[in-house]
Amino acid sequence: MPVRPAYEWEQTEEEVLLRVSIKGFKKEAIDVFLSDVLVKVNAAPTYLLMLDLLRPVDAARSTYYMDPEDRTSLRLRLRKQEPGIWPDLCIHADKDDAAAIRERRSAAVKRAEDDYNRRLQERVGKREEERRRMTEEQWEVEKAQRRLIEGRVREERETAEADLYVWEDEQKKQRQKLQGGQQFPAAAAVPQSPADITLPQAAEANETAAPSVRHHSTVVVPVEFTPKLATMPTRSRGEEDYYRRSRYKPTRIEDSPMFWKERADKHYQHQEWQAAADAYTESIKRDGAFLTCVSNRAACFIHLFEYKRAIEDCTLALTMLSNTPASELTQERYRYLMMKLHARRGAAYCWGHCCEKGVEDLRIASAYCNPEDDGDVLADYQLVESYMKERGLLETKDPLEEKLREASTLYYNGRYAESAAVYRDVLEANPYDVKARNNLSAVLLQQGLFREALEETSRVVSFCQEVADALSCAGALSTNLLDSDDDDDVGSAGGEHADEMVRQRKAAARKVGERSGHVYALLKACVRGAAAHCGLKDYRKALQLLEQAVRITPYDDDLQDDYNRVAEKLRMETLIAASTAGS
């Protein structure tokens, strides 16, 4: 439970000055939220200060900073909306109703979010306007350059034509002198058509007269290529544009995966591994298919010496990468991700005293690496190989992994029956291999065996039932386990029942965050189960599974489109059934 830090305040006619004592925290680790009537200072997990201001302030003109002389003091300068002296800083919580205070806080947060979104839209609009302006200026430059080039070409063509006509006239005069008596058009006459140009006779082929030089000076025409303002990003998960283009928009800023990813990246840069891992978990909760955050969390677990969890995250990220369409990744991006994920999993295996498995991942990573930029991967691979030779360790390969690769190869070659047989052999040896069972359902869908595919997906859902129940808990995906926003100083309005609901929601959120692999397996099982139900014309059950899949990754527009199509199909069938029954 965070404690309330000590603070002092003073005021002038136009400002309120606050000094909050927070020890042991840097400025980057302190979260300050300013609105018109609410000030929140959160230094998780130690300090939490919430002030319900007596009168409104101008949040846009208010600032905060760390005292340069006393690094344990956070100073806030709040600009009053209306000048005057306040009788007190905050409202009295004991005199006012707790529900009214909560409503006042919610309204303040909502106004702050609206103001933030408005300023964000303004920045986006300004960027678009600047891009348009630069594009128009670029067009004008290109038009001017084109006009210049066309003018020079036209001048050169006219000069060349004039020289050609002069040369032809001279040739005609010379032939007239040699032949004598033959009449030719006057020198000033200009041919009006190709028929007016007289061709020389065959006997004149030996004439030695050479045409005069047509160009007395060299014309240099500069050509400048159009500069590109910026390269367009590729569409892949983890990029800001992907979430910005998505039709799904969260109701709060804290519900955006990019909000938590940026916070996690900041913690990672300051080598705060546990805080970074927790923030990456919050981001993955809000998008169960966020490959970048899964990969980055694996790196955090390696620094925290939690090698088993790092291996699980790397394996999950590799599964996500294998299911990513080729159109969403460039070849260089795919090479880099394969190198990084296999290198991290290999490092986790080796640090976990399992060099026999780690050397295989490092070998794959070295095959994908660029020797000029990724020399450390090659060095790690050579170091592990020499270490194993010195101690007589032999590389061991999992036979089930070999079978899984064989089944995958058969699947991509279109040999579905053989692939299904290999997957069944794997499941017979290990019935709890969720990945193999999910892949078997995909093979059965390709064969049109919808009932068999539905059985396999149902087993996956049963295996991940705890995660499915946690996802069904209201608020599990939006619950923040890092910052404590409980209004303990306001009072409990729901009693033991409310406390129990909060505990259940937090337990569900924790389970979803810790079992990301099960969440992703459940996502694939729901999508493939919905496809099987559609094949059986059972659109109602398909819609239920797609609804759960959309809850896991709401930013996938393709998945949203599938959900809308199935919903429309079910709606049409319901209308047809109702009209038939009425008639």
Side-chain angles (χ1 to χ4, degrees):
M1 181 67 65
V3 299
R4 185 186 182 97
Y7 69 93
E8 299 175 354
W9 75 286
E10 56 185 8
Q11 63 175 326
T12 63
E13 287 285 340
E14 297 181 350
E15 293 181 339
V16 175
L17 305 177
L18 277 169
R19 187 177 69 84
V20 185
S21 298
I22 299 179
K23 299 180 180 180
F25 285 86
K26 297 181 180 179
K27 179 183 177 181
E28 293 79 8
I30 302 174
D31 185 16
V32 179
F33 175 80
L34 298 177
S35 67
D36 52 355
V37 294
L38 178 64
V39 175
K40 174 183 171 184
V41 179
N42 186 13
T46 308
Y47 298 106
L48 176 62
L49 174 64
M50 297 186 69
L51 300 176
D52 296 288
L53 301 179
L54 183 65
R55 294 176 184 173
V57 297
D58 189 352
R61 300 170 60 191
S62 301
T63 59
Y64 64 91
Y65 60 93
M66 297 298 295
D67 193 337
E69 298 180 357
D70 184 6
R71 306 303 297 178
T72 63
S73 296
L74 175 69
R75 293 188 176 273
L76 295 90
R77 184 184 297 272
L78 309 178
R79 178 76 64 172
K80 297 179 181 179
Q81 289 188 3
E82 297 180 358
I85 299 298
W86 294 1
D88 202 350
L89 177 63
C90 303
I91 62 176
H92 297 284
D94 52 350
K95 295 181 180 180
D96 296 324
D97 184 21
I101 295 178
R102 279 196 297 271
E103 184 177 355
R104 188 172 186 260
R105 290 181 178 179
S106 300
V109 172
K110 183 66 169 59
R111 287 192 296 272
E113 290 180 354
D114 293 341
D115 182 65
Y116 173 80
N117 292 329
R118 178 184 57 78
R119 288 187 280 110
L120 185 63
Q121 291 297 328
E122 289 178 356
R123 287 200 298 268
V124 172
K126 289 181 180 179
R127 282 200 301 268
E128 293 295 335
E129 183 179 355
E130 181 66 16
R131 188 178 292 115
R132 267 196 311 272
R133 185 186 64 80
M134 294 180 67
T135 303
E136 291 175 357
E137 291 182 357
Q138 191 173 353
W139 285 348
E140 292 299 328
V141 171
E142 290 180 355
K143 289 178 182 178
Q145 193 74 18
R146 178 173 295 181
R147 286 194 295 268
L148 177 62
I149 294 174
E150 289 176 351
R152 291 180 177 178
V153 170
R154 184 169 54 254
E155 292 176 0
E156 183 180 356
R157 184 176 62 249
E158 293 174 354
T159 304
E161 289 177 353
D163 292 342
L164 176 62
Y165 297 146
V166 171
W167 175 76
E168 287 180 348
D169 292 339
E170 292 176 354
Q171 293 298 313
K172 290 177 182 178
K173 289 180 180 180
Q174 292 178 5
R175 286 196 299 271
Q176 185 178 8
K177 290 179 181 180
L178 293 174
Q179 295 177 0
Q182 188 174 357
Q183 299 296 325
F184 291 91
V190 178
Q192 301 297 323
S193 67
D196 297 336
I197 301 176
T198 305
L199 296 177
Q201 300 296 328
E204 300 172 355
N206 295 327
E207 78 179 23
T208 57
S212 61
V213 179
R214 288 178 286 175
H215 297 289
H216 302 283
S217 61
T218 303
V219 179
V220 180
V221 180
V223 178
E224 297 180 0
F225 293 97
T226 303
K228 301 299 181 183
L229 299 179
T231 56
M232 295 300 293
T234 57
R235 180 185 180 275
S236 61
R237 289 190 183 276
E239 294 184 356
E240 185 177 358
D241 281 352
Y242 172 80
Y243 293 102
R244 184 170 57 83
R245 290 195 301 265
S246 176
R247 292 193 297 270
Y248 175 79
K249 302 299 179 185
T251 57
R252 300 185 306 166
I253 301 174
E254 290 83 356
D255 289 339
S256 171
M258 288 302 299
F259 173 84
W260 292 103
K261 180 184 179 297
E262 292 172 358
R263 176 178 288 193
D265 292 342
K266 189 179 297 184
H267 285 305
Y268 192 91
Q269 292 171 1
H270 292 88
Q271 299 184 0
E272 299 168 352
W273 314 121
Q274 187 60 56
D278 293 340
Y280 282 130
T281 300
E282 292 293 328
S283 181
I284 297 169
K285 276 167 47 182
R286 286 152 178 83
D287 183 6
F290 204 157
L291 187 150
T292 304
C293 285
V294 175
S295 173
N296 293 350
R297 189 174 65 174
C300 295
F301 285 149
I302 291 177
H303 287 291
L304 294 171
F305 309 107
E306 298 185 22
Y307 303 121
K308 182 179 179 181
R309 299 183 68 181
I311 293 169
E312 291 175 354
D313 274 357
C314 288
T315 304
L316 174 59
L318 286 169
T319 303
M320 292 180 179
L321 183 60
S322 64
N323 292 328
T324 302
S327 59
E328 295 188 7
L329 285 174
T330 61
Q331 185 176 3
E332 177 61 23
R333 176 68 174 167
Y334 179 79
R335 181 202 66 79
Y336 174 73
L337 289 175
M338 288 291 289
M339 182 272 297
K340 181 170 65 173
L341 291 172
H342 280 289
R344 285 180 180 172
R345 190 169 70 172
Y349 272 127
C350 293
W351 282 110
H353 305 289
C354 190
C355 297
E356 297 84 352
K357 293 184 178 180
V359 69
E360 182 179 0
D361 277 313
L362 290 175
R363 183 182 298 111
I364 297 175
S366 62
Y368 280 103
C369 75
N370 186 353
E372 297 179 357
D373 301 331
D374 309 316
D376 53 343
V377 177
L378 293 173
D380 291 343
Y381 173 57
Q382 295 171 359
L383 179 64
V384 173
E385 269 197 334
S386 61
Y387 176 84
M388 293 178 64
K389 288 180 180 179
E390 290 176 0
R391 287 159 178 76
L393 299 176
L394 299 177
E395 182 179 352
T396 59
K397 294 185 178 180
D398 189 356
L400 294 182
E401 287 292 333
E402 296 294 330
K403 282 186 172 293
L404 286 174
R405 293 194 188 96
E406 178 186 357
S408 178
T409 303
L410 293 172
Y411 174 81
Y412 286 114
N413 290 331
R415 300 160 63 180
Y416 301 122
E418 299 176 26
S419 177
V422 177
Y423 277 128
R424 286 193 174 94
D425 292 341
V426 173
L427 290 173
E428 185 177 356
N430 182 13
Y432 301 104
D433 194 332
V434 179
K435 179 180 178 181
R437 199 171 294 280
N438 258 328
N439 292 346
L440 176 59
S441 65
V443 176
L444 295 174
L445 284 175
Q446 293 289 344
Q447 293 179 287
L449 304 175
F450 301 120
R451 295 192 183 279
E452 290 82 350
L454 193 58
E455 291 178 2
E456 299 300 332
T457 56
S458 300
R459 291 174 183 172
V460 175
V461 173
S462 300
F463 183 81
C464 305
Q465 190 61 46
E466 292 185 4
V467 173
D469 295 339
L471 289 170
S472 302
C473 181
L477 296 179
S478 59
T479 299
N480 173 16
L481 298 177
L482 300 185
D483 301 334
S484 177
D485 292 337
D486 298 337
D487 300 334
D488 296 328
D489 53 340
V490 176
S492 59
E496 296 182 358
H497 181 65
D499 293 341
E500 181 63 25
M501 290 181 61
V502 171
R503 282 194 292 270
Q504 291 178 359
R505 186 169 65 246
K506 288 187 176 181
R510 189 173 292 106
K511 186 169 296 184
V512 171
E514 292 175 352
R515 300 189 180 182
S516 303
H518 285 194
V519 173
Y520 189 72
L522 184 63
L523 169 64
K524 293 202 295 184
C526 289
V527 173
R528 290 168 182 172
H533 278 302
C534 289
L536 297 173
K537 308 298 183 183
D538 192 351
Y539 299 108
R540 189 175 302 278
K541 293 183 179 179
L543 190 65
Q544 294 175 356
L545 291 177
L546 284 177
E547 184 177 359
Q548 191 166 11
V550 170
R551 192 181 302 118
I552 295 174
T553 173
Y555 295 91
D556 194 332
D557 286 345
D558 296 334
L559 190 59
Q560 292 278 2
D561 292 338
D562 293 339
Y563 176 83
N564 293 333
R565 280 193 289 267
V566 174
E568 184 64 24
K569 182 70 175 178
L570 180 61
R571 189 179 301 111
M572 291 299 298
E573 285 198 347
T574 304
L575 290 174
I576 293 173
S579 61
T580 305
S583 61

PDB file of all heavy atoms in Angstrom, residues 46 138 140 152 182 234 353 399 482:
ATOM      1  N   THR A  46       5.811   3.179  -3.819  1.00  0.00           N
ATOM      2  CA  THR A  46       6.033   3.688  -2.460  1.00  0.00           C
ATOM      3  C   THR A  46       5.113   4.848  -2.108  1.00  0.00           C
ATOM      4  O   THR A  46       4.494   4.853  -1.039  1.00  0.00           O
ATOM      5  CB  THR A  46       7.504   4.128  -2.313  1.00  0.00           C
ATOM      6  OG1 THR A  46       8.362   3.063  -2.740  1.00  0.00           O
ATOM      7  CG2 THR A  46       7.813   4.463  -0.862  1.00  0.00           C
ATOM      8  N   GLN A 138       7.022  21.067 -53.186  1.00  0.00           N
ATOM      9  CA  GLN A 138       7.827  20.144 -53.975  1.00  0.00           C
ATOM     10  C   GLN A 138       7.290  20.048 -55.404  1.00  0.00           C
ATOM     11  O   GLN A 138       8.056  20.007 -56.374  1.00  0.00           O
ATOM     12  CB  GLN A 138       7.805  18.775 -53.301  1.00  0.00           C
ATOM     13  CG  GLN A 138       8.797  17.784 -53.855  1.00  0.00           C
ATOM     14  CD  GLN A 138       8.828  16.523 -53.023  1.00  0.00           C
ATOM     15  OE1 GLN A 138       8.212  16.443 -51.979  1.00  0.00           O
ATOM     16  NE2 GLN A 138       9.540  15.544 -53.494  1.00  0.00           N
ATOM     17  N   GLU A 140       5.699  22.408 -56.981  1.00  0.00           N
ATOM     18  CA  GLU A 140       6.037  23.648 -57.669  1.00  0.00           C
ATOM     19  C   GLU A 140       7.488  23.636 -58.142  1.00  0.00           C
ATOM     20  O   GLU A 140       7.809  24.095 -59.244  1.00  0.00           O
ATOM     21  CB  GLU A 140       5.792  24.845 -56.738  1.00  0.00           C
ATOM     22  CG  GLU A 140       4.329  25.090 -56.410  1.00  0.00           C
ATOM     23  CD  GLU A 140       3.510  25.397 -57.653  1.00  0.00           C
ATOM     24  OE1 GLU A 140       4.067  25.993 -58.602  1.00  0.00           O
ATOM     25  OE2 GLU A 140       2.320  25.032 -57.682  1.00  0.00           O
ATOM     26  N   ARG A 152      14.624  24.544 -72.654  1.00  0.00           N
ATOM     27  CA  ARG A 152      15.942  24.311 -73.237  1.00  0.00           C
ATOM     28  C   ARG A 152      15.876  23.280 -74.359  1.00  0.00           C
ATOM     29  O   ARG A 152      16.560  23.412 -75.388  1.00  0.00           O
ATOM     30  CB  ARG A 152      16.910  23.852 -72.151  1.00  0.00           C
ATOM     31  CG  ARG A 152      17.247  24.947 -71.147  1.00  0.00           C
ATOM     32  CD  ARG A 152      18.215  24.458 -70.094  1.00  0.00           C
ATOM     33  NE  ARG A 152      18.576  25.546 -69.187  1.00  0.00           N
ATOM     34  CZ  ARG A 152      19.385  25.401 -68.145  1.00  0.00           C
ATOM     35  NH1 ARG A 152      19.905  24.205 -67.881  1.00  0.00           N
ATOM     36  NH2 ARG A 152      19.668  26.423 -67.368  1.00  0.00           N
ATOM     37  N   GLN A 182      20.327  22.885-113.510  1.00  0.00           N
ATOM     38  CA  GLN A 182      19.205  22.307-112.751  1.00  0.00           C
ATOM     39  C   GLN A 182      18.744  23.305-111.713  1.00  0.00           C
ATOM     40  O   GLN A 182      19.548  23.895-111.002  1.00  0.00           O
ATOM     41  CB  GLN A 182      19.639  21.001-112.078  1.00  0.00           C
ATOM     42  CG  GLN A 182      18.487  20.256-111.444  1.00  0.00           C
ATOM     43  CD  GLN A 182      18.928  18.907-110.912  1.00  0.00           C
ATOM     44  OE1 GLN A 182      20.094  18.546-111.086  1.00  0.00           O
ATOM     45  NE2 GLN A 182      18.006  18.197-110.306  1.00  0.00           N
ATOM     46  N   THR A 234       6.601   0.055 -42.622  1.00  0.00           N
ATOM     47  CA  THR A 234       5.876  -1.160 -42.965  1.00  0.00           C
ATOM     48  C   THR A 234       4.787  -1.411 -41.939  1.00  0.00           C
ATOM     49  O   THR A 234       4.886  -1.013 -40.785  1.00  0.00           O
ATOM     50  CB  THR A 234       6.832  -2.358 -42.976  1.00  0.00           C
ATOM     51  OG1 THR A 234       7.470  -2.448 -41.697  1.00  0.00           O
ATOM     52  CG2 THR A 234       7.895  -2.195 -44.034  1.00  0.00           C
ATOM     53  N   HIS A 353      21.905 -23.321 -17.765  1.00  0.00           N
ATOM     54  CA  HIS A 353      22.670 -24.578 -17.727  1.00  0.00           C
ATOM     55  C   HIS A 353      22.049 -25.638 -18.629  1.00  0.00           C
ATOM     56  O   HIS A 353      21.972 -26.817 -18.266  1.00  0.00           O
ATOM     57  CB  HIS A 353      22.779 -25.108 -16.289  1.00  0.00           C
ATOM     58  CG  HIS A 353      23.367 -24.119 -15.331  1.00  0.00           C
ATOM     59  ND1 HIS A 353      24.698 -23.756 -15.351  1.00  0.00           N
ATOM     60  CD2 HIS A 353      22.787 -23.378 -14.346  1.00  0.00           C
ATOM     61  CE1 HIS A 353      24.922 -22.852 -14.406  1.00  0.00           C
ATOM     62  NE2 HIS A 353      23.780 -22.597 -13.781  1.00  0.00           N
ATOM     63  N   PRO A 399      13.106 -35.099 -30.346  1.00  0.00           N
ATOM     64  CA  PRO A 399      12.480 -35.754 -31.517  1.00  0.00           C
ATOM     65  C   PRO A 399      11.115 -35.168 -31.847  1.00  0.00           C
ATOM     66  O   PRO A 399      10.708 -35.162 -33.009  1.00  0.00           O
ATOM     67  CB  PRO A 399      12.385 -37.222 -31.083  1.00  0.00           C
ATOM     68  CG  PRO A 399      12.475 -37.205 -29.589  1.00  0.00           C
ATOM     69  CD  PRO A 399      13.336 -36.043 -29.241  1.00  0.00           C
ATOM     70  N   LEU A 482       0.146  -1.874 -11.721  1.00  0.00           N
ATOM     71  CA  LEU A 482       1.362  -1.146 -11.357  1.00  0.00           C
ATOM     72  C   LEU A 482       1.062   0.069 -10.504  1.00  0.00           C
ATOM     73  O   LEU A 482       1.670   0.283  -9.463  1.00  0.00           O
ATOM     74  CB  LEU A 482       2.104  -0.713 -12.624  1.00  0.00           C
ATOM     75  CG  LEU A 482       2.559  -1.850 -13.547  1.00  0.00           C
ATOM     76  CD1 LEU A 482       3.371  -1.285 -14.687  1.00  0.00           C
ATOM     77  CD2 LEU A 482       3.354  -2.886 -12.784  1.00  0.00           C
TER      78      LEU A 482
END
